[in-house]
Amino acid sequence: MTGVRDVFIVANSTDELGGVTGWTHRTAHLFREKGHRVHVIGVHAAELKMALPEEPGYPVTALHPEHPPTPWSPKGVRDRLRVPSRLREAARAARKRQAVDRLSGIFRAARPGGVVIVTQVWAMEWVGEADTAGLTVIGMSHESYDYSRASHRYRWIRNHYAGLERWLVLTEEDADIWAGDGMNNVGFMPNALAALPAVPSPRTGKSVASIGRLTDQKGVDMLLDTWALVAPRRPDWTLDVYGAGEDEAALREQCTALGLDGSVRWRGRTDDVPGALSRSSVFVQSSRGEGFPLALMEAMASGVPCAAFDCAPGVREIVRDGQDGLLAPAGDVGALADRLLRLTGNPRMRDAMGDRARTGVQRFSEAEIVRRWEELFALLER
């Protein structure tokens, strides 16, 4: 059948602060607007939560009330005989079985033609043990091949995604690399641009914005090292860091040690990204790894030119270097400082690149991405 479907979007968490959660709920809304019956499912509820609508318009289920414990791996015969550890492991396994049974029950209620989209590979452990009979299962990865290859997730992808009808990465470049690595079921699906603000940033505030979790992946430590090179030459500019995360205390200490407390403002998490961008004239992304970063797209949609590390195919697919933003080699702090100095020192360049960014990023519109999802659903059902 075509048309209305049951669509289950399964993620690590239903409400964890971060880009995948934002993608999950925005995509759920888009599918619901197309008439599909949507259910968002997370392995667990999060500690650091993203603000979500009180009434999303579709069911949201967390299989565990908190992050489930890691499976026990005994080290040697003596460790294997420890009764308390064995009891804890038995309890963990029983709770997982209950969660998997609950997930199977949700899936069994689906009508013919139902689709399960697994947004993160860890969540596939639960989906893989559940009853998905009669459903099309699509796996996803929201990070680049290189970032996955350097982590334990590479093994998970090979173990959990190889047998699915389809699994999706975010760019054609990464899909080609994975195909060359033997994953013959791989395709690609870019993230959608959530919205185009009615009015772009006036680009008059002397503020460089960074928006993202304060974790190692986002490279805010490298951003502070970069800003230490920029600040002395741009004493009237500030770096506004929006976000929260487990590295915040260490990053604040680093900021103080670098003598940057007078030019760095820690803004905390924000639920008003367009408002934050409207007060900024430049956006910076210093990530060690990315997939198809929504924050970068949102900045461009607001007409804010971007300087970013070229850390993933998704970054260079969004930002056309020298046209609507400036890219620096991944991890090259001096090069990123150079890009920021160029943008902060040249208002004509900022305006020209910001205008081109706002126009160019619309090629990732929601309407276009939803159309591509519908084509994929129909293709996999044949």
Side-chain angles (χ1 to χ4, degrees):
M1 61 172 274
T2 58
V4 176
R5 304 172 190 275
D6 286 298
V7 180
F8 304 95
I9 304 179
V10 186
N12 291 355
S13 171
T14 59
D15 55 357
E16 184 175 23
L17 182 65
V20 175
T21 301
W23 177 92
T24 294
H25 288 280
R26 186 59 203 154
T27 302
H29 278 288
L30 292 174
F31 287 156
R32 183 173 176 270
E33 289 171 0
K34 293 291 290 185
H36 300 305
R37 190 167 70 175
V38 182
H39 193 151
V40 170
I41 303 164
V43 172
H44 65 90
E47 292 182 13
L48 187 60
K49 295 182 181 296
M50 173 178 282
L52 301 174
E54 290 186 10
E55 297 295 337
Y58 47 82
V60 177
T61 299
L63 300 176
H64 296 268
E66 57 191 17
H67 197 298
T70 302
W72 178 48
S73 297
K75 298 175 177 61
V77 176
R78 181 176 296 179
D79 194 24
R80 206 172 284 119
L81 296 175
R82 295 183 188 278
V83 173
S85 297
R86 294 172 64 185
L87 291 173
R88 283 194 297 272
E89 173 60 14
R92 182 206 64 80
R95 287 194 295 271
K96 184 176 182 182
R97 283 195 299 273
Q98 291 173 353
V100 168
D101 289 345
R102 184 180 181 192
L103 186 59
S104 294
I106 293 171
F107 288 162
R108 290 190 194 106
R111 296 168 292 188
V115 177
V116 179
I117 301 170
V118 187
T119 69
Q120 293 160 291
V121 66
W122 183 61
M124 191 64 211
E125 289 193 22
W126 277 256
V127 174
E129 295 180 23
D131 180 3
T132 58
L135 299 174
T136 297
V137 181
I138 301 171
M140 295 191 74
S141 173
H142 283 264
E143 62 187 19
S144 69
Y145 173 87
D146 288 341
Y147 205 71
S148 295
R149 189 71 177 87
S151 78
H152 61 277
R153 288 180 296 280
Y154 176 78
R155 176 173 50 83
W156 286 357
I157 288 169
R158 301 302 298 254
N159 290 344
H160 293 299
Y161 281 172
L164 299 184
E165 291 92 334
R166 186 65 54 91
W167 85 279
L168 302 173
V169 292
L170 296 165
T171 67
E172 185 174 12
E173 181 178 339
D174 265 330
D176 289 343
I177 297 171
W178 276 109
D181 199 9
M183 295 289 283
N184 296 322
N185 60 345
V186 67
F188 69 99
M189 184 72 69
N191 287 337
L193 174 64
L196 191 73
V199 179
S201 167
R203 296 183 291 260
T204 54
K206 292 190 173 182
S207 164
V208 175
S210 167
I211 302 176
R213 299 187 313 279
L214 302 184
T215 61
D216 181 71
Q217 178 192 346
K218 298 301 181 180
V220 179
D221 58 323
M222 293 192 292
L223 175 57
L224 292 173
D225 289 338
T226 300
W227 193 248
L229 302 175
V230 174
R233 298 176 60 181
R234 297 288 183 265
D236 51 344
W237 282 74
T238 59
L239 173 64
D240 288 287
V241 180
Y242 293 88
E246 61 265 26
D247 292 350
E248 181 170 353
L251 291 169
R252 285 177 175 265
E253 289 180 8
Q254 179 187 354
C255 181
T256 299
L258 290 170
L260 298 176
D261 286 342
S263 64
V264 175
R265 296 183 288 199
W266 300 92
R267 297 296 198 176
R269 57 179 292 178
T270 179
D271 298 321
D272 182 18
V273 171
L277 292 168
S278 72
R279 296 186 290 273
S280 305
S281 295
V282 176
F283 181 82
V284 62
Q285 187 159 76
S286 54
S287 301
R288 289 182 165 84
E290 281 291 349
F292 207 85
L294 291 168
L296 203 57
M297 297 172 71
E298 290 172 326
M300 295 175 71
S302 290
V304 179
C306 302
F309 281 141
D310 185 4
C311 64
V315 173
R316 53 185 171 268
E317 187 158 322
I318 296 169
V319 177
R320 295 171 292 196
D321 187 30
Q323 298 182 48
D324 50 21
L326 296 175
L327 299 179
D332 190 334
V333 166
L336 187 61
D338 168 76
R339 300 338 183 237
L340 287 176
L341 286 167
R342 289 164 64 184
L343 286 171
T344 54
N346 190 332
R348 293 179 69 178
M349 175 188 281
R350 287 199 303 274
D351 287 342
M353 285 192 167
D355 289 345
R356 286 196 291 267
R358 183 170 163 87
T359 299
V361 79
Q362 295 180 51
R363 67 190 184 277
F364 303 113
S365 70
E366 290 181 338
E368 170 61 17
I369 301 306
V370 169
R371 182 192 66 78
R372 292 174 63 168
W373 273 109
E374 295 285 2
E375 285 186 352
L376 178 62
F377 292 161
L379 175 66
L380 294 177
E381 196 174 48
R382 291 174 186 168

